Amino acid sequence: MKNILVVGAGGQIGSELVPFLRNTYGVNNVVAADIDESKCKNLSDGPFEKLDATDGKTFAEIVKKHKIDAIYNMVALLSATGEKNPELAWKINMGALENSLNIAKENKCAVFTPSSIGAFGPTTPMDNTPQDTIMQPNTIYGVCKVSGELLSNYYYERFGVDTRSVRFPGIISNVTLPGGGTTDYAVEIYYEAIKQQKYTSNLDKGTFLDMMYMPDAIKACADLMEADPAKLKHRNSFNITAMSFDPEIIGDEIRKHIPEFKLSYDVDPVKQAIANSWPNSMDDSCAREEWGWNPKYNLAEMTIDMLEKIQEKHDKGLI
Ligand code: SER
């Protein structure tokens, strides 16, 4: 039986990853940890530990106490928030990773840490971005992600730590809101479509970015960690994507269900510059070949599910 620790359990991905893992490995075998207990109320069915992931001592104590075999390090300040406070972004993003790797090395744990489309930069080929290519990001978030990929590969090669990761695109979900990412518009647009039948996008029309629905993102984490290591030619990190669109395309898809939906633009220059430096669409064939990556949701299917779930929340007065 595996004992798993999810650090950053109250975040956008962690809050849905924990229930999935508890369902797969058993409620008591998946420990949720977060600096903010109030964000983890929906995870109270199983073990919880309050943890600042940059505090290596407490982190190590929790790993020993629960005899952890695998750490999912889901801690990160996202790209736009990172630009507001680069020192803090480096401290948190790299601090959590450094502790995860060192504690994994000491306690023989596997480590999953998400990388991102943010690991790419303006000199990266923008269309069908290859798995192995130029990575010169110009955001602190991206600098952390590339550093994290290299450090994770180093720990695998030098110390044999079983590190694995994916480069996530924008993740779209209806449970926990993302905080301060460049791709957040693609989540907000669904909430505003239900609440007000209109949305003002802070990214311009023609801004294509890779995206993915949360159920596919969660499955990617779990599938990669279960993959046969003999088949992995890459480790940190795999390109994965499910769809690529711009605000006009997602607006048109929403209009198929809410014909009166109106989309306008008020471009945020910081977010736009970040989005312009990221790929339009990634080539994820290595993930497909090496561990069977195969997303279930396209834009049309995701839109139906998002609108249905958010409508339910709205009807209950939750949003
Ligand atoms: N969703 C993230 C962001 O926009 C990218 O990984 O910052």
Side-chain angles (χ1 to χ4, degrees):
M1 186 59 77
K2 276 190 179 169
N3 291 321
I4 295 171
L5 176 67
V6 179
V7 189
Q12 189 202 13
I13 302 177
S15 64
E16 295 192 58
L17 178 63
V18 170
F20 179 92
L21 294 174
R22 284 183 174 164
N23 206 22
T24 310
Y25 297 103
V27 171
N28 291 319
N29 298 318
V30 180
V31 181
D34 201 283
I35 194 167
D36 185 353
E37 196 166 355
S38 70
K39 284 190 178 160
C40 297
K41 288 193 186 112
N42 71 323
L43 307 176
S44 58
D45 60 326
F48 174 82
E49 297 280 357
K50 187 173 163 60
L51 173 64
D52 171 353
T54 63
D55 169 4
K57 189 169 168 283
T58 310
F59 197 155
E61 282 165 9
I62 290 169
V63 165
K64 283 192 197 337
K65 176 179 158 193
H66 294 276
K67 299 188 172 53
I68 295 298
D69 307 296
I71 300 168
Y72 285 74
N73 166 35
M74 311 309 284
V75 173
L77 288 196
L78 294 185
S79 54
T81 308
E83 289 314 296
K84 288 190 190 137
N85 194 341
E87 292 89 352
L88 185 67
W90 177 266
K91 185 169 169 267
I92 292 179
N93 295 6
M94 295 310 291
L97 178 64
E98 196 189 321
N99 283 336
S100 300
L101 291 172
N102 283 326
I103 292 164
K105 175 175 159 250
E106 292 304 313
N107 296 276
K108 303 203 171 6
C109 309
V111 182
F112 178 87
T113 303
S115 186
S116 160
I117 48 173
F120 297 114
T123 52
T124 300
M126 290 285 157
D127 295 302
N128 214 21
T129 303
Q131 170 68 37
D132 301 308
T133 187
I134 303 164
M135 301 179 78
Q136 297 176 319
N138 56 7
T139 63
I140 190 67
Y141 179 72
V143 171
C144 292
K145 290 301 184 194
V146 173
S147 307
E149 290 190 16
L150 294 172
L151 196 59
S152 298
N153 278 338
Y154 181 80
Y155 269 64
Y156 169 65
E157 276 155 27
R158 179 83 166 73
F159 304 120
V161 179
D162 184 359
T163 55
R164 306 181 186 194
S165 106
V166 294
R167 294 180 186 133
F168 274 134
I171 305 293
I172 296 167
S173 65
N174 53 62
V175 175
T176 305
L177 290 172
T182 301
T183 56
D184 292 8
Y185 94 88
V187 177
E188 291 159 5
I189 195 169
Y190 287 110
Y191 280 83
E192 295 309 309
I194 295 291
K195 289 200 280 193
Q196 314 205 54
Q197 298 76 55
K198 63 178 184 186
Y199 179 66
T200 304
S201 172
N202 51 32
L203 293 185
D204 210 354
K205 59 177 74 166
T207 310
F208 279 81
L209 291 168
D210 283 297
M211 301 277 176
M212 181 180 297
Y213 199 28
M214 184 64 91
D216 282 326
I218 299 294
K219 203 167 169 302
C221 305
D223 284 357
L224 176 56
M225 291 310 273
E226 287 291 350
D228 176 357
K231 296 203 173 123
L232 300 181
K233 294 192 197 96
H234 297 84
R235 281 192 166 255
N236 304 282
S237 301
F238 285 93
N239 285 1
I240 56 168
T241 183
M243 58 192 97
S244 166
F245 55 72
D246 83 327
E248 290 288 297
I249 293 175
I250 187 171
D252 288 344
E253 196 61 42
I254 289 172
R255 231 169 267 121
K256 290 181 187 165
H257 307 275
I258 307 173
E260 65 276 27
F261 177 69
K262 285 201 172 44
L263 180 57
S264 56
Y265 293 89
D266 181 12
V267 172
D268 173 336
V270 174
K271 287 193 177 182
Q272 188 64 47
I274 296 174
N276 289 348
S277 78
W278 290 354
N280 300 327
S281 63
M282 283 186 287
D283 172 4
D284 61 4
S285 51
C286 289
R288 289 173 186 268
E289 281 157 25
E290 293 176 38
W291 51 277
W293 163 243
N294 184 18
K296 302 268 174 300
Y297 285 88
N298 61 23
L299 176 60
E301 290 155 345
M302 175 178 79
T303 299
I304 291 170
D305 202 54
M306 279 294 281
L307 293 176
E308 199 180 290
K309 300 266 165 58
I310 297 169
Q311 185 67 55
E312 280 169 23
K313 283 197 197 193
H314 194 249
D315 292 346
K316 289 182 189 155
L318 298 172
I319 55 162

